[in-house]
Amino acid sequence: MKAAVITQYGQVRDVVRVTDVPVPAVGPHDVLIEVRAAGVNPVDHLIVKGFLSAGEPTEPLVIGNELAGVVTEVGGEVTRFAVGDEVFSRVDPRMGGAFAEYVAVDQSLVAAKPSGLTFEEAASLPLVALTALQALTEQADVRAGTRLLIHGAAGGVGSAAVQIAKQLGAEVVATASAGSVELVLELGADRVIDYRAEKFDEVVSDVDVVLDTIGGETQERSFGVLKTGGTLVSIVAIADAEAKKAQWNVEARSFFMRPHGEQLARLAGLVESGHLRPIVETVFPLDEAPEALQKVERGGARGKTVIGVRA
């Protein structure tokens, strides 16, 4: 089968290639999925560069972390899926494998693909929507009446978070570029700040929760808009977190999302009820996986970049 692999870590253009590799073996709890589409995320190019590795690959490492496709084989102890099922998944981050024609995934990390979505749309959701859901409901306690600030609200995680937060009953203030303001309002935000025209920390204050998808200066300034006892949740590392918590009298947490099939099923329900929609910006063919990775690395996207693996 064809897959996008790395054999050593480095720059995307130098180490990512699409080549033939064996179809993965299917364990007793695995489903073998014929991949129709795979989402591309910043974590993928971090893996390519070796920032999230445990050592050099000992064999070609198939990259990719989320996908949608069709079950073609099931392990002997699989009870939740059957051959022919249309599914989507955030794969085990220790295994990867989504940028390929086939991938074996433990059934606990898989859910039925939301009806009405294309494979490309479904593949764009698992990582970002799970990240948003876990940030809002596990790392913070967003509920009816929560005042929430979401940074990068037109990106993958941000656009999912806006929609999920509104379903939780939150008041959502968001930051985005001028060209994305209308999109973010359409997703449900109560107020959108063009971060190039206004400094969010001069026009927003007393928020209960900040969801930071940006890091750096944006993260630093975000502490000042939280009310006492508020919570900053970030998908980017927080430098000197304990000192900042003490200085501002707030909570501050960074985290990595975890794959979770039951939560994916919950998110699929939000899609099917019309409360969560994917935002896909660009679709690349599998042969252009390096170009897709480079696009995501450049940033600035409205929504997700996706690799179309099979028609």
Side-chain angles (χ1 to χ4, degrees):
M1 70 170 186
K2 290 173 63 176
V5 306
I6 57 173
T7 55
Q8 60 181 353
Y9 299 113
Q11 296 298 316
V12 168
R13 64 180 179 275
D14 298 324
V15 301
V16 177
R17 59 191 176 93
V18 178
T19 188
D20 289 321
V21 299
V23 174
V26 178
H29 298 98
D30 292 343
V31 293
L32 184 67
I33 302 171
E34 180 185 74
V35 181
R36 300 296 179 84
V40 188
N41 299 278
V43 69
D44 297 314
H45 68 72
L46 293 176
I47 291 169
V48 169
K49 290 184 174 182
F51 294 143
L52 299 178
S53 70
E56 286 294 323
T58 56
E59 58 185 0
L61 174 65
V62 180
I63 54 178
N65 282 278
E66 61 181 349
L67 61 98
V70 179
V71 175
T72 60
E73 184 181 343
V74 298
E77 298 183 28
V78 169
T79 57
R80 298 173 53 192
F81 301 98
V83 172
D85 287 349
E86 295 184 350
V87 297
F88 70 149
S89 175
R90 196 302 192 202
V91 303
D92 186 332
R94 298 168 298 179
M95 306 297 290
F99 296 175
E101 293 179 322
Y102 293 90
V103 62
V105 186
D106 190 286
Q107 66 172 344
S108 67
L109 309 183
V110 179
K113 181 178 78 68
S115 59
L117 292 190
T118 66
F119 285 105
E120 290 80 9
E121 290 170 331
S124 75
L125 278 176
L127 190 149
V128 296
L130 284 172
T131 300
L133 180 66
Q134 292 170 14
L136 298 177
T137 63
E138 297 179 355
Q139 302 300 317
D141 184 21
V142 174
R143 59 179 67 192
T146 299
R147 192 156 189 253
L148 170 68
L149 172 62
I150 299 174
H151 289 305
V157 173
S159 61
V162 169
Q163 298 174 81
I164 294 169
K166 291 306 297 180
Q167 286 307 297
L168 295 170
E171 175 192 350
V172 175
V173 181
T175 63
S177 65
S180 298
V181 168
E182 288 303 316
L183 169 64
V184 178
L185 287 170
E186 289 174 10
L187 295 177
D190 298 285
R191 179 182 181 186
V192 183
I193 299 166
D194 172 4
Y195 66 85
R196 292 192 178 99
E198 293 184 284
K199 293 184 177 180
F200 70 86
D201 48 334
E202 295 180 354
V203 295
V204 178
S205 60
D206 292 324
V207 302
D208 298 294
V209 177
V210 174
L211 175 56
D212 167 42
T213 69
I214 307 296
E217 180 188 359
T218 296
Q219 184 188 92
E220 292 284 335
R221 290 161 50 205
S222 293
F223 285 95
V225 307
L226 284 166
K227 63 175 57 174
T228 299
T231 302
L232 182 142
V233 179
S234 183
I235 62 173
V236 182
I238 302 172
D240 301 318
E242 292 303 316
K244 290 185 174 69
K245 287 162 65 174
Q247 176 186 354
W248 296 100
N249 194 18
V250 298
E251 289 295 320
R253 303 168 183 150
S254 61
F255 82 109
F256 287 102
M257 60 77 60
R258 69 191 190 284
H260 198 297
E262 292 181 2
Q263 288 184 350
L264 265 186
R266 174 183 173 184
L267 292 164
L270 289 179
V271 173
E272 291 169 349
S273 65
H275 295 122
L276 176 63
R277 65 182 176 99
I279 309 296
V280 175
E281 185 183 62
T282 310
V283 180
F284 288 83
L286 179 59
D287 286 341
E288 295 180 16
E291 288 78 6
L293 286 160
Q294 288 172 333
K295 179 183 183 302
V296 170
E297 184 177 11
R298 289 193 295 270
R302 296 177 61 185
K304 289 292 291 289
T305 296
V306 172
I307 292 173
V309 178
R310 287 181 179 266

